[in-house]
Amino acid sequence: MPNVMIRKNDDGCLLFYVAKKDMEETIASVETDTADAWGGAVELTDGSRWYIEPISPPPSFPTTLRFKRAED
């Protein structure tokens, strides 16, 4: 379960960065993105999927969270 830094870019899109892999991608979708919770299955623009238990209340960005690869 790598530590992932999530931040907003200048356009307001969320960026997903894994330092150990030097990988940065834009988040395409988040399963749960409400005023009460954030997380679940996260899909990146490169097609990869990651998972984090939904967090309540939603985190403020930038933040570092522990994700795992989602199983297909």
Side-chain angles (χ1 to χ4, degrees), residues 11-67:
D11 297 330
C13 297
L14 290 176
L15 297 177
F16 186 98
Y17 178 70
V18 181
K20 288 191 174 192
K21 295 186 176 202
D22 195 29
M23 178 192 89
E24 183 173 70
E25 289 292 332
T26 303
I27 294 177
S29 66
V30 178
E31 180 179 14
T32 303
D33 189 3
T34 67
D36 296 327
W38 186 91
V42 173
E43 186 168 346
L44 307 182
T45 54
D46 69 354
S48 64
R49 296 184 55 209
W50 296 76
Y51 183 81
I52 187 170
E53 285 293 325
I55 300 165
S56 182
S60 58
F61 302 107
T63 190
T64 300
L65 303 167
R66 291 185 63 85
F67 278 79

Side-chain angles (χ1 to χ4, degrees), residues 1-15:
M1 289 183 32
N3 285 324
V4 175
M5 181 176 183
I6 299 177
R7 66 179 178 87
K8 290 186 179 184
N9 66 9
D10 294 337
D11 297 330
C13 297
L14 290 176
L15 297 177

